[in-house]
Amino acid sequence: MKKMFWGFVFFSFFSSLFAVSVGEIPISWKEIRSKYNWKTKPVFPESESVDLFESVLYADGKLFFQTKDVTKQSSILVWNLELGESKNFPWEGGKVTGWTECSGKILIQTTKTLWELDSKTFAVKRKLPWPNNGKSWQDIVCLENKIYRLVGDQLEVYALESGELESKIPVPFSSIQRITKRGETDILFLSSYWGNTVQVFSPKDPTNKREWKFPVNHRALFKLIALSENHFLIFDPITKIYGEWMVFENSILPLLTPVEVADGSRAYRFSPIQNKIEYQFQLTALTDVPETKYQFVLPKQNTSSQNLKSEELNPSSVEEIDGAGNRSLVLTIPPLKAGETKDIKVYEAILTRYKIHWNLDPKLTMGKNQNKDGLETYLVDDWFLKMDTDVVVEKRKTLFQENTNVKQILSKTQEYVSSIPYQSGSFESAPKVIEKNNGGCTEHSYVTMALLRGMGIPSRLVWNYLPTESSKEITFNHKFVEVWVEGLGWIPMEPLAPPRSKPGVTHARHVVFAGLPGTNHPKIAGGDRLVQLSKDQLGLAKKIKFKLVVVKNDTTTEELDGTEERVIPQKTNRALNSGEDMVVP
């Protein structure tokens, strides 16, 4: 039996190679990892404390903190990032009021003196008279042999060799609390007044401004340093936030787990969760029944947001793949006597799910750039869309006017649909949902599809599970939409999970089962279930009691970034997998 089982797994592997959705574009992924190991959180010495408004210095794989002990005596603590160890650095130059790395050297500012140290030996190389009379912390930054110091709303610029003031540069931002260097040409301005926004300033080109929202506690932001232009590290003993982040386009992503980048930087996926999942099938014959066949919907294999490996299929089952690339399993059960019961493991696999960001080309336009050959079935109208009714047409005109830019059309759609209040719906068509301005996840999907298909953008309904990671079972209870974009393939439009209003971006790690042009799975007769009797045996439904439980094994679960995302609550209906007739929720 074991040999037969693995023979079928081998066959299943090769058949799955052809489980490619219409319009899917092959993608290869490259991992980007953190520079240092953060699997074990640092344990900062309890005897030492750091000040909220004093910065951390980075040089040669080491972090420098000015600390105070219980007697309020100041010292410099050096943390070795490679070893995860710290030691006190003997310093007798007085209280530090600012510091910076400068081309392999360390510059330390104290009252009236600027010290230059070797970054490896910490030996003092020279010291300069310095126009700093205060005892409060004031950040300094060294760029290309110039020293920059923020004073009020100006950057004072000093010559490194002489320590003399050369010029003053007005800064274009207000309420700056912290400055630090980004590479050798830019300065980062930080302030909690901006809502965790990091602003980039180039002294050589003050008009070239950029900014990012940094996804950490605003206190931790004060302990940010740049390892390179787009690679950041935060080490904050106060909030206990430690780790690295990377800038990808306009997003800042954590590197506690590797970030995977699609070839051509088309997409980024990150913060994976991995589970072992099992389909556990229970059935009882209420009367004598002949041989029966059951259809099971399987997860989609190796999409941009989820991967499956180590798949094992029951030896009495056969995998089938429809024209859209959706997978199902047909399980054959021999004749049963009245009262006979069976517990069967139908399927198991290791499932990895990701948060994902797609990068939309801002120049992509309708018609000229969008080639929709072979996607006609994802453009047709249907009862749940009614995309040519006055209500839907008027909404498209209001949102898009004469716009043909694909990114802008998708953004306007996502912003509008995410603004529709969530309320468990009655599965009404798109115009009804627009009129009443509320609905469930399926109704949000209908509106999205009606708006976009009416613009000639292919879209499909996605059957999925919106996960609750603490649950031991997978419950099939959510819908969202994927749209097809030239050069990318199918990308998510998820208005009910963070960040909600951004097309191609979702932090809800769905378990995706199928992508459909309409509301029904071709292997399931109506409803929204993962299992049912084969269509030609539906008449036997009252003679058999059966239930499918999809178990999610938490022993292999890893959520390495430690964050929780808030999603709009969905109603869980345990009957979804029981074989009862149900409409799409």
Side-chain angles (χ1 to χ4, degrees), residues 519-546:
T519 60
N520 296 325
H521 192 287
K523 299 295 183 179
I524 303 293
D528 190 21
R529 294 151 294 165
L530 294 178
V531 60
Q532 75 164 32
L533 280 159
S534 62
K535 292 182 180 180
D536 61 342
Q537 294 185 316
L538 290 177
L540 298 174
K542 293 183 179 180
K543 297 181 179 182
I544 308 170
K545 182 180 179 180
F546 60 89

Short mmCIF file of all heavy atoms in Angstrom, two decimals, residues 519-546:
data_model
loop_
_atom_site.label_atom_id
_atom_site.label_comp_id
_atom_site.label_asym_id
_atom_site.label_seq_id
_atom_site.Cartn_x
_atom_site.Cartn_y
_atom_site.Cartn_z
N THR A 519 -19.44 32.42 -9.86
CA THR A 519 -19.57 32.18 -8.42
C THR A 519 -19.39 30.73 -8.03
O THR A 519 -19.22 30.43 -6.85
CB THR A 519 -20.95 32.65 -7.93
OG1 THR A 519 -21.96 31.90 -8.63
CG2 THR A 519 -21.15 34.13 -8.17
N ASN A 520 -19.45 29.79 -8.98
CA ASN A 520 -19.45 28.36 -8.65
C ASN A 520 -18.18 27.65 -9.11
O ASN A 520 -17.67 27.90 -10.21
CB ASN A 520 -20.65 27.67 -9.29
CG ASN A 520 -21.96 28.19 -8.75
OD1 ASN A 520 -22.07 28.53 -7.58
ND2 ASN A 520 -22.97 28.26 -9.61
N HIS A 521 -17.70 26.76 -8.26
CA HIS A 521 -16.59 25.90 -8.64
C HIS A 521 -17.11 24.83 -9.60
O HIS A 521 -18.18 24.25 -9.36
CB HIS A 521 -15.99 25.25 -7.39
CG HIS A 521 -14.68 24.59 -7.63
ND1 HIS A 521 -14.55 23.40 -8.31
CD2 HIS A 521 -13.42 24.95 -7.28
CE1 HIS A 521 -13.28 23.05 -8.36
NE2 HIS A 521 -12.56 23.97 -7.73
N PRO A 522 -16.40 24.52 -10.68
CA PRO A 522 -16.92 23.56 -11.66
C PRO A 522 -17.11 22.15 -11.11
O PRO A 522 -17.87 21.37 -11.67
CB PRO A 522 -15.86 23.58 -12.77
CG PRO A 522 -14.63 24.13 -12.13
CD PRO A 522 -15.11 25.09 -11.10
N LYS A 523 -16.44 21.82 -10.00
CA LYS A 523 -16.56 20.47 -9.42
C LYS A 523 -17.57 20.41 -8.28
O LYS A 523 -17.85 19.33 -7.77
CB LYS A 523 -15.20 20.00 -8.91
CG LYS A 523 -14.13 19.91 -9.99
CD LYS A 523 -14.47 18.84 -11.02
CE LYS A 523 -13.35 18.72 -12.05
NZ LYS A 523 -13.65 17.68 -13.04
N ILE A 524 -18.08 21.56 -7.86
CA ILE A 524 -19.01 21.61 -6.74
C ILE A 524 -20.34 22.15 -7.24
O ILE A 524 -20.40 23.23 -7.84
CB ILE A 524 -18.47 22.51 -5.60
CG1 ILE A 524 -17.11 22.01 -5.13
CG2 ILE A 524 -19.46 22.58 -4.46
CD1 ILE A 524 -17.13 20.67 -4.46
N ALA A 525 -21.42 21.42 -7.01
CA ALA A 525 -22.74 21.82 -7.50
C ALA A 525 -23.34 22.87 -6.57
O ALA A 525 -23.97 22.54 -5.56
CB ALA A 525 -23.66 20.60 -7.58
N GLY A 526 -23.13 24.15 -6.91
CA GLY A 526 -23.64 25.21 -6.07
C GLY A 526 -22.92 25.26 -4.75
O GLY A 526 -22.13 24.38 -4.41
N GLY A 527 -23.19 26.28 -4.00
CA GLY A 527 -22.63 26.35 -2.66
C GLY A 527 -21.15 26.71 -2.63
O GLY A 527 -20.55 27.08 -3.62
N ASP A 528 -20.60 26.54 -1.45
CA ASP A 528 -19.24 27.03 -1.17
C ASP A 528 -18.53 26.04 -0.27
O ASP A 528 -18.06 26.37 0.80
CB ASP A 528 -19.36 28.40 -0.50
CG ASP A 528 -18.02 29.09 -0.38
OD1 ASP A 528 -17.11 28.72 -1.12
OD2 ASP A 528 -17.90 29.99 0.46
N ARG A 529 -18.47 24.79 -0.71
CA ARG A 529 -17.91 23.74 0.13
C ARG A 529 -16.61 23.21 -0.44
O ARG A 529 -16.32 23.36 -1.62
CB ARG A 529 -18.91 22.58 0.23
CG ARG A 529 -20.19 22.94 0.97
CD ARG A 529 -21.35 22.11 0.48
NE ARG A 529 -21.67 22.45 -0.90
CZ ARG A 529 -22.44 21.71 -1.68
NH1 ARG A 529 -22.93 20.58 -1.23
NH2 ARG A 529 -22.71 22.08 -2.91
N LEU A 530 -15.86 22.54 0.41
CA LEU A 530 -14.63 21.91 -0.03
C LEU A 530 -14.85 20.45 -0.42
O LEU A 530 -13.95 19.82 -0.95
CB LEU A 530 -13.56 21.98 1.07
CG LEU A 530 -13.05 23.38 1.42
CD1 LEU A 530 -12.04 23.30 2.55
CD2 LEU A 530 -12.47 24.07 0.21
N VAL A 531 -16.02 19.91 -0.13
CA VAL A 531 -16.28 18.51 -0.47
C VAL A 531 -17.76 18.33 -0.78
O VAL A 531 -18.62 19.01 -0.21
CB VAL A 531 -15.89 17.57 0.70
CG1 VAL A 531 -16.67 17.88 1.96
CG2 VAL A 531 -16.06 16.11 0.31
N GLN A 532 -18.06 17.44 -1.72
CA GLN A 532 -19.42 16.97 -1.96
C GLN A 532 -19.36 15.66 -2.73
O GLN A 532 -18.32 15.29 -3.28
CB GLN A 532 -20.23 18.00 -2.73
CG GLN A 532 -19.89 18.08 -4.21
CD GLN A 532 -20.97 18.81 -5.01
OE1 GLN A 532 -21.64 19.71 -4.51
NE2 GLN A 532 -21.12 18.42 -6.24
N LEU A 533 -20.46 14.96 -2.76
CA LEU A 533 -20.59 13.79 -3.63
C LEU A 533 -20.44 14.23 -5.08
O LEU A 533 -20.76 15.37 -5.44
CB LEU A 533 -21.94 13.12 -3.44
CG LEU A 533 -22.09 12.20 -2.22
CD1 LEU A 533 -23.56 12.04 -1.87
CD2 LEU A 533 -21.44 10.86 -2.48
N SER A 534 -19.93 13.32 -5.92
CA SER A 534 -19.86 13.65 -7.34
C SER A 534 -21.25 14.00 -7.85
O SER A 534 -22.27 13.52 -7.32
CB SER A 534 -19.26 12.48 -8.12
OG SER A 534 -20.09 11.34 -8.00
N LYS A 535 -21.32 14.82 -8.85
CA LYS A 535 -22.60 15.37 -9.29
C LYS A 535 -23.60 14.30 -9.70
O LYS A 535 -24.80 14.47 -9.50
CB LYS A 535 -22.36 16.36 -10.42
CG LYS A 535 -21.63 17.62 -9.99
CD LYS A 535 -21.45 18.59 -11.14
CE LYS A 535 -20.72 19.85 -10.68
NZ LYS A 535 -20.53 20.81 -11.79
N ASP A 536 -23.13 13.19 -10.25
CA ASP A 536 -24.06 12.15 -10.68
C ASP A 536 -24.57 11.30 -9.51
O ASP A 536 -25.42 10.42 -9.70
CB ASP A 536 -23.40 11.25 -11.74
CG ASP A 536 -22.16 10.54 -11.20
OD1 ASP A 536 -21.63 10.99 -10.17
OD2 ASP A 536 -21.73 9.57 -11.84
N GLN A 537 -24.04 11.56 -8.28
CA GLN A 537 -24.48 10.78 -7.11
C GLN A 537 -25.12 11.66 -6.04
O GLN A 537 -25.29 11.23 -4.90
CB GLN A 537 -23.30 10.02 -6.51
CG GLN A 537 -22.74 8.94 -7.41
CD GLN A 537 -21.64 8.14 -6.71
OE1 GLN A 537 -20.77 8.70 -6.07
NE2 GLN A 537 -21.71 6.82 -6.84
N LEU A 538 -25.50 12.88 -6.38
CA LEU A 538 -26.07 13.77 -5.39
C LEU A 538 -27.35 13.22 -4.77
O LEU A 538 -27.72 13.58 -3.65
CB LEU A 538 -26.35 15.15 -6.01
CG LEU A 538 -25.09 15.97 -6.36
CD1 LEU A 538 -25.49 17.28 -7.04
CD2 LEU A 538 -24.26 16.26 -5.13
N GLY A 539 -28.02 12.31 -5.50
CA GLY A 539 -29.24 11.69 -4.97
C GLY A 539 -28.99 10.82 -3.76
O GLY A 539 -29.92 10.46 -3.03
N LEU A 540 -27.71 10.45 -3.52
CA LEU A 540 -27.38 9.61 -2.35
C LEU A 540 -27.10 10.44 -1.10
O LEU A 540 -26.79 9.87 -0.04
CB LEU A 540 -26.15 8.75 -2.67
CG LEU A 540 -26.28 7.75 -3.82
CD1 LEU A 540 -24.92 7.09 -4.09
CD2 LEU A 540 -27.32 6.69 -3.46
N ALA A 541 -27.20 11.78 -1.19
CA ALA A 541 -26.77 12.65 -0.10
C ALA A 541 -27.48 12.35 1.21
O ALA A 541 -26.89 12.46 2.29
CB ALA A 541 -26.98 14.11 -0.49
N LYS A 542 -28.78 11.94 1.15
CA LYS A 542 -29.53 11.69 2.38
C LYS A 542 -29.25 10.31 2.97
O LYS A 542 -29.73 10.00 4.06
CB LYS A 542 -31.02 11.85 2.11
CG LYS A 542 -31.43 13.30 1.78
CD LYS A 542 -32.93 13.43 1.58
CE LYS A 542 -33.32 14.87 1.29
NZ LYS A 542 -34.78 15.03 1.11
N LYS A 543 -28.47 9.51 2.26
CA LYS A 543 -28.16 8.17 2.75
C LYS A 543 -26.78 8.11 3.41
O LYS A 543 -26.40 7.07 3.95
CB LYS A 543 -28.21 7.17 1.58
CG LYS A 543 -29.60 7.06 0.94
CD LYS A 543 -29.59 6.04 -0.17
CE LYS A 543 -30.99 5.91 -0.79
NZ LYS A 543 -31.02 4.88 -1.87
N ILE A 544 -26.04 9.21 3.33
CA ILE A 544 -24.68 9.24 3.87
C ILE A 544 -24.49 10.52 4.68
O ILE A 544 -24.87 11.60 4.24
CB ILE A 544 -23.61 9.19 2.75
CG1 ILE A 544 -23.87 8.02 1.81
CG2 ILE A 544 -22.22 9.10 3.34
CD1 ILE A 544 -23.02 8.06 0.57
N LYS A 545 -23.91 10.40 5.83
CA LYS A 545 -23.53 11.56 6.62
C LYS A 545 -22.02 11.71 6.54
O LYS A 545 -21.29 10.78 6.87
CB LYS A 545 -23.97 11.37 8.08
CG LYS A 545 -23.65 12.57 8.97
CD LYS A 545 -24.11 12.31 10.40
CE LYS A 545 -23.78 13.48 11.30
NZ LYS A 545 -24.22 13.24 12.70
N PHE A 546 -21.54 12.87 6.07
CA PHE A 546 -20.09 13.04 5.95
C PHE A 546 -19.67 14.45 6.33
O PHE A 546 -20.46 15.40 6.27
CB PHE A 546 -19.60 12.68 4.54
CG PHE A 546 -20.18 13.50 3.43
CD1 PHE A 546 -19.58 14.68 3.02
CD2 PHE A 546 -21.33 13.07 2.75
CE1 PHE A 546 -20.10 15.43 1.99
CE2 PHE A 546 -21.85 13.81 1.72
CZ PHE A 546 -21.25 15.00 1.32
#
